[in-house]
């Protein structure tokens, strides 16, 4: 069955129905990732009353050829088809040159972002810090005393943003009985097995324990860290995360469409991976990052925060961490990856194929959304990175 046959009919036949039991598996994932609001409780992240304009000067870039890391010749068009891509936007110096959508997608279709949501959270932190609402150097327990005695006791907000918490948690997406499975049960993303209580996300966070390693020394990728970070924002601002994000980032940057975030049984958001948004609004977001936080002459995110993302990543913590093989020349800061520290190119990356690539050197922003059947596919990520580099070289 093709993804485009899913949820067809009134009602769809059983084999074509999408439920919480299958919404992130192929072929249901295409429908699931573009209809999260129909599957899970969500909160709206409100758009701007006047969207920031997007300038278009369409050019055919999908025919560009490049060589995969395995040495095979290919094109952008072939890669779109081979990697279950749903959307591609290439923006150069603020102008959209290429905008492509797969079947069932359009410029107004919201798409699940997975861990691109983390980079949005990290960027929002810069706004809140500049307004004096949070201090990245503060201890997490200053905001959330209920986390005393957990893995988060003694760590700072900066440790959350940089994934440098000494926590016992394995980010294994394929283990049905592992930490991620229990985390997803608590977040309301998966149905817990019979006899296993699903609980709630914040209850789950209080169960996490330290690894015995010090905070601030080692990059260790743990999605719940970002959920704790969003919880800090809520406590500091006295408002739900969706409203904070809308008021301080989404509306000010000129988003054209409402985004949304999934909620657990107690109304807590999945800040680490639960945002859905359109490709065009992600292009606006990426362009704001490229322009040091500026949108139409207005400073939305402090330029110094963007500079810090580029320049202050802890290279040694990254090298000693658990994802250095993905970007061997990179680092990580405020929930953004630096792909190559010498080039200073940034990436927001989510499982199943979500990307925002920001290359200041060539004035380029690329958004790519997908519904890959495999959660983490490094070969496809590296193929796309080669494609991004071919695009930036062509534009430069």
């Amino acid at each position: 069955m093709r993804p485009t046959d899913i949820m067809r009919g009134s009602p769809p036949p059983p084999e074509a129905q999408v439920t919480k039991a299958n919404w992130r598996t192929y072929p249901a994932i295409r429908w699931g990732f573009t209809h999260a609001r129909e599957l899970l409780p969500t909160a709206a992240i409100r758009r701007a009353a006047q969207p920031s304009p997007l300038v278009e000067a369409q050019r055919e870039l999908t025919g560009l050829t490049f060589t995969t890391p395995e040495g095979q010749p290919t094109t952008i068009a072939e890669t779109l088809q081979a990697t279950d891509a749903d959307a591609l936007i290439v923006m150069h110096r603020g102008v959209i040159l290429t905008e492509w959508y797969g079947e069932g997608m359009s410029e107004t279709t919201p798409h699940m972002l997975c861990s691109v949501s983390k980079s949005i959270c990290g960027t929002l932190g810069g706004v809140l810090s500049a307004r004096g609402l949070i201090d990245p150097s503060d201890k997490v327990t200053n905001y959330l005393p209920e986390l005393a005695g957990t893995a988060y006791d003694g760590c700072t907000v900066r440790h959350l943003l940089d994934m440098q918490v000494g926590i016992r948690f394995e980010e294994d997406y394929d283990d049905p009985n592992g930490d991620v499975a229990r985390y997803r049960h608590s977040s309301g993303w998966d149905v817990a097995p019979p006899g296993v209580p699903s609980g709630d996300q914040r209850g789950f966070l209080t169960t996490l324990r330290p690894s015995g390693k010090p905070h601030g020394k080692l990059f260790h990728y743990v999605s719940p860290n970002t959920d704790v970070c969003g919880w800090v924002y809520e406590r500091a601002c006295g408002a739900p995360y969706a409203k904070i994000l809308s008021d301080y980032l989404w509306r000010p940057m000129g988003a054209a469409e409402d985004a949304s975030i999934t909620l657990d049984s107690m109304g807590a958001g999945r800040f680490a991976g639960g945002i859905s948004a359109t490709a065009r609004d992600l292009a606006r977001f990426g362009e704001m990052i490229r322009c040091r936080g500026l949108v139409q002459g207005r400073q939305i995110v402090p330029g110094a925060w963007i500079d810090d993302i580029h320049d202050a990543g802890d290279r040694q913590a990254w090298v000693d961490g658990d994802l250095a093989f993905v970007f061997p020349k990179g680092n990580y800061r405020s929930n953004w990856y630096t792909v190559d520290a010498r080039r200073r190119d940034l990436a927001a990356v989510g499982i199943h194929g979500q990307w925002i690539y920001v290359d200041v050197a060539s004035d380029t922003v690329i958004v790519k959304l997908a519904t890959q059947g495999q959660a983490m596919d490094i070969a496809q990520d590296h193929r796309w990175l080669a494609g991004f580099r071919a695009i930036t070289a062509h534009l430069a």
Side-chain angles (χ1 to χ4, degrees):
M1 180 175 289
R2 300 181 307 160
T4 50
D5 293 330
I6 294 294
M7 294 297 283
R8 295 287 180 89
S10 301
E15 66 274 13
Q17 292 181 8
V18 181
T19 69
K20 284 177 67 174
N22 71 356
W23 71 284
R24 293 190 323 282
T25 61
Y26 191 87
I29 188 171
R30 171 71 69 82
W31 194 94
F33 267 32
T34 54
H35 293 80
R37 298 172 191 175
E38 298 167 51
L39 284 164
L40 303 169
T42 60
I45 301 164
R46 297 300 181 189
R47 64 188 182 274
Q50 294 294 328
S52 58
L54 291 176
V55 179
E56 298 179 55
Q58 293 290 333
R59 289 170 58 182
E60 177 50 58
L61 296 177
T62 61
L64 279 177
T65 60
F66 66 98
T67 302
T68 71
E70 296 77 27
Q72 299 299 313
T74 188
T75 66
I76 299 297
E78 290 170 354
T79 300
L80 287 167
Q81 297 303 318
T83 61
D84 298 296
D86 297 326
L88 178 72
I89 292 179
V90 178
M91 180 179 280
H92 186 235
R93 296 175 180 166
V95 178
I96 293 179
L97 302 184
T98 292
E99 186 171 17
W100 173 93
Y101 295 103
E103 188 174 354
M105 287 284 295
S106 75
E107 64 183 41
T108 59
T109 304
H111 195 287
M112 180 64 69
L113 307 185
C114 299
S115 289
V116 170
S117 305
K118 293 181 176 70
S119 301
I120 294 172
C121 183
T123 304
L124 176 60
V127 181
L128 301 183
S129 177
R131 291 173 177 262
L133 293 165
I134 66 163
D135 184 339
S137 65
D138 278 348
K139 296 289 181 61
V140 168
T141 51
N142 289 1
Y143 301 91
L144 304 172
E146 50 267 74
L147 292 183
T150 73
Y152 298 102
D153 202 343
C155 83
T156 66
V157 177
R158 170 52 62 195
H159 295 147
L160 298 175
L161 290 165
D162 293 354
M163 294 291 179
Q164 294 180 12
V165 178
I167 184 173
R168 190 168 68 242
F169 186 98
E170 292 302 320
E171 190 96 358
D172 184 344
Y173 305 113
D174 299 322
D175 183 351
N177 302 307
D179 294 330
V180 171
R182 292 190 291 275
Y183 166 53
R184 286 173 171 169
H185 297 156
S186 74
S187 301
W189 272 37
D190 285 351
V191 179
V196 176
S198 58
D200 67 278
Q201 182 173 275
R202 288 176 179 169
F204 173 79
L205 295 175
T206 65
T207 70
L208 298 178
R209 293 294 174 256
S211 64
K213 297 176 182 178
H215 302 305
K217 298 297 184 182
L218 181 72
F219 175 88
H220 178 40
Y221 189 87
V222 173
S223 285
N225 292 348
T226 307
D227 296 304
V228 173
C229 194
W231 191 4
V232 167
Y233 295 174
E234 290 190 335
R235 187 65 58 83
C237 298
Y241 184 88
K243 177 172 171 50
I244 298 166
L245 180 54
S246 176
D247 288 352
Y248 290 107
L249 190 59
W250 208 245
R251 288 194 294 110
M253 80 171 192
E257 305 292 339
D258 286 353
S260 67
I261 189 166
T262 66
L263 306 175
D264 74 352
S265 61
M266 302 293 287
R270 181 130 189 243
F271 316 130
I275 292 179
S276 293
T278 67
R280 281 193 157 213
D281 281 335
L282 291 182
R284 289 180 169 94
F285 176 69
E287 179 67 4
M288 176 184 66
I289 298 297
R290 185 186 73 84
C291 295
R292 295 186 68 249
L294 283 170
V295 177
Q296 295 185 289
R298 294 176 293 114
Q299 195 75 49
I300 309 303
V301 180
W305 188 264
I306 308 299
D307 294 341
D308 183 81
I309 292 172
H310 279 293
D311 300 328
D314 186 333
R315 174 68 181 157
Q316 193 59 52
W318 174 258
V319 169
D320 294 339
D322 48 16
L323 289 182
F325 69 97
V326 180
F327 302 131
K329 299 177 182 178
N331 54 43
Y332 192 87
R333 184 74 165 177
S334 294
N335 294 133
W336 281 89
Y337 297 94
T338 294
V339 179
D340 185 333
R342 295 172 300 180
R343 190 179 179 94
R344 301 173 77 246
D345 50 349
L346 299 178
V349 184
I351 58 172
H352 298 286
Q354 325 315 319
W355 276 77
I356 304 173
Y357 180 69
V358 180
D359 186 53
V360 176
S362 64
D363 302 316
T364 305
V365 173
I366 303 173
V367 173
K368 191 270 293 185
L369 301 175
T371 41
Q372 296 167 190
Q374 186 175 335
M376 193 169 180
D377 192 327
I378 303 304
Q380 290 200 15
D381 285 335
H382 285 174
R383 176 173 175 169
W384 266 111
L385 184 57
F388 298 157
R389 294 276 171 76
I391 291 170
T392 59
H394 177 78
L395 297 177

